[in-house]
Amino acid sequence: MDNGHNKDEGLIGNEKIEEAVLALQSEPSQEMLAHTLTVIRRRIREGGQFIVAVEPSLESTQMNLQIVKTADGAVWWSAFTGFEEELKGADSVKSTFLSDIDKLFETALEVPEINGVIINPWNRTIMLDKDLVKGAVAGEK
């Protein structure tokens, strides 16, 4: 049994999000979506973290969160529930850091250029637009 010695503390428990997303993918419904958001809220309450990918900014010395563009032209931040998910990417990510889920979501709401956050863009994917992000964060206030 894995005691989490191979994982960052903040990522332990994120497999519950992956399981909820998998269930939502196999049976898309408002109920399953609500359940998935509840699981995400619970992880926020537990101090859960996501892995976020960053890339150097061309304009400044700061790093920017890596964005994903969908076919409709929408722009999203990507976040990963664990390193296994992150490594599934076509272009393996160069720089990552851990971000508290609530901080990531709150920041996403303040950035007008992005549509929301895609969790696990390569596999057990859920796209949270700003309304869903708000829903996940609001449950915590």
Side-chain angles (χ1 to χ4, degrees):
M1 193 173 112
D2 179 14
N3 302 332
H5 63 274
N6 201 2
K7 272 190 170 176
D8 268 279
E9 293 273 305
L11 300 176
I12 298 169
N14 282 354
E15 62 282 350
K16 295 183 189 114
I17 296 175
E18 294 169 23
E19 287 157 15
V21 170
L22 192 62
L24 175 63
Q25 285 175 332
S26 54
E27 187 199 318
S29 67
Q30 283 304 312
E31 290 76 24
M32 288 307 297
L33 177 61
H35 168 70
T36 304
L37 289 175
T38 300
V39 172
I40 292 171
R41 273 196 289 273
R42 200 170 298 139
R43 290 294 302 130
I44 290 174
R45 238 191 332 269
E46 294 166 0
Q49 294 180 311
F50 283 153
I51 300 167
V52 290
V54 290
E55 49 199 10
S57 163
L58 300 174
E59 300 86 53
S60 71
T61 55
Q62 292 189 311
M63 299 296 264
N64 288 335
L65 287 185
Q66 194 173 46
I67 57 169
V68 172
K69 254 196 180 138
T70 45
D72 59 4
V75 177
W76 306 77
W77 280 346
S78 55
F80 303 93
T81 50
F83 289 104
E84 303 77 23
E85 286 300 323
E86 178 228 318
L87 292 171
K88 289 180 176 140
D91 54 339
S92 51
V93 175
K94 283 149 199 71
S95 305
T96 58
F97 70 95
L98 290 174
S99 170
D100 293 341
I101 299 171
D102 57 346
K103 300 258 184 329
L104 177 69
F105 283 179
E106 285 162 13
T107 308
L109 293 173
E110 293 165 12
V111 177
E113 306 83 77
I114 65 159
N115 291 66
V117 179
I118 297 183
I119 300 171
N120 297 336
W122 324 125
N123 184 28
R124 293 183 180 173
T125 306
I126 183 167
M127 297 171 79
L128 300 178
D129 64 21
K130 287 192 176 175
D131 288 338
L132 293 176
V133 168
K134 259 184 216 136
V137 175
E140 288 316 294
K141 298 291 172 236

